[in-house]
Amino acid sequence: MSSIARIQTFAFAGIEAVPVEVQVQIAPGLPAFLIVGLPDKAVGESKERVRAALTAIGLSLPPKRVLVNMAPADLAKEGSHFDLPIALAVLAAMDVLPRDELHDFAALGELGLDGALAPVAGVLPAAMAASARELGLVCPAQQGPEAAWAGRIQVLAPPDLPALINHFRGIQTLAQPVPPRLDDAPWAGPCLSQVRGQESAKRALEIAAAGGHNLLMSRC
């Protein structure tokens, strides 16, 4: 019998987070690890990072056909942030993680070969999109406070894959990240509230400021 697991994540179109479902099927057949759903090179390489990370924590893929599908299949998937949702869906398909709990979360993060989680772009818009869909968010530890800016959303920000596995299995509990405090001193300069219109541009500025991202401004 095949084994299927699912978890939510996001692709990005500019600053917009587009929902993507990662589906994993483990079925009898020649050993293989396949990723489909218009993955770019970084996503295609995820299978090697996932395989190495599992080996580093003492797990190995079953000698079966592991198929990863990212739906919708006609949407291009770009970036290394798909590493974590792929790994979690694979672990759920292997019955290492409880599938029911993964249904309540979206995830994004880049995996190191040792199972550590590295920061990725787009955590704040992903957290906002997850909150709108009444989902929690799993992201790298360094970006937990950024994700917490999304408001009333459960954020799991583990430093590595073992810490996240232990949380889902009830061995340890990850604390809810706290958004960083802003300076209480009043700001004497211009304010975005004084700008009329330009909603997309203002949102881009707010996301860049909250996440400490770089921003290129070009005068047309």
Side-chain angles (χ1 to χ4, degrees):
M1 296 293 293
S2 64
S3 181
I4 299 177
R6 297 176 173 86
I7 190 171
Q8 301 297 316
T9 186
F10 300 96
F12 297 100
I15 60 173
E16 298 297 328
V18 182
V20 171
E21 183 179 72
V22 176
Q23 308 165 348
V24 173
Q25 178 192 64
I26 298 179
L30 292 176
F33 193 156
L34 307 173
I35 299 179
V36 299
L38 283 185
D40 72 347
K41 185 173 179 59
V43 180
E45 292 172 346
S46 289
K47 60 185 179 183
E48 301 303 335
R49 291 190 290 272
V50 170
R51 192 194 306 272
L54 294 184
T55 300
I57 63 175
L59 298 173
S60 61
L61 291 172
K64 297 181 180 181
R65 187 174 184 268
V66 180
L67 176 61
V68 179
N69 178 48
M70 294 185 290
D74 60 349
L75 175 69
K77 318 302 188 305
E78 302 176 350
S80 60
H81 67 276
F82 290 102
D83 289 2
L84 182 57
I86 290 174
L88 293 179
V90 168
L91 289 170
M94 294 168 56
D95 293 324
V96 175
L97 292 178
R99 304 183 192 192
D100 292 343
E101 291 192 27
L102 292 185
H103 289 168
D104 298 329
F105 288 92
L108 74 167
E110 179 181 328
L111 277 175
L113 300 185
D114 58 354
L117 293 178
V120 293
V123 166
L124 182 55
M128 295 168 66
S131 178
R133 294 166 62 87
E134 297 185 349
L135 296 172
L137 186 73
V138 184
C139 66
Q142 299 94 317
Q143 296 177 298
E146 178 183 348
W149 275 112
R152 299 181 63 181
I153 176 176
Q154 183 180 3
V155 178
L156 300 180
D160 49 37
L161 202 52
L164 185 58
I165 293 173
N166 290 338
H167 174 86
F168 278 119
R169 300 187 70 174
I171 299 174
Q172 68 181 67
T173 301
L174 294 170
Q176 173 77 11
V178 178
R181 296 184 60 183
L182 298 176
D183 189 354
D184 294 331
W187 171 251
C191 180
L192 287 181
S193 63
Q194 300 170 340
V195 179
R196 294 185 179 180
Q198 303 295 332
E199 298 301 328
S200 296
K202 290 193 289 186
R203 186 179 178 204
L205 288 170
E206 291 168 352
I207 290 175
H213 304 302
N214 296 324
L215 184 70
L216 174 64
M217 303 183 70
S218 175
R219 182 177 180 181
C220 299

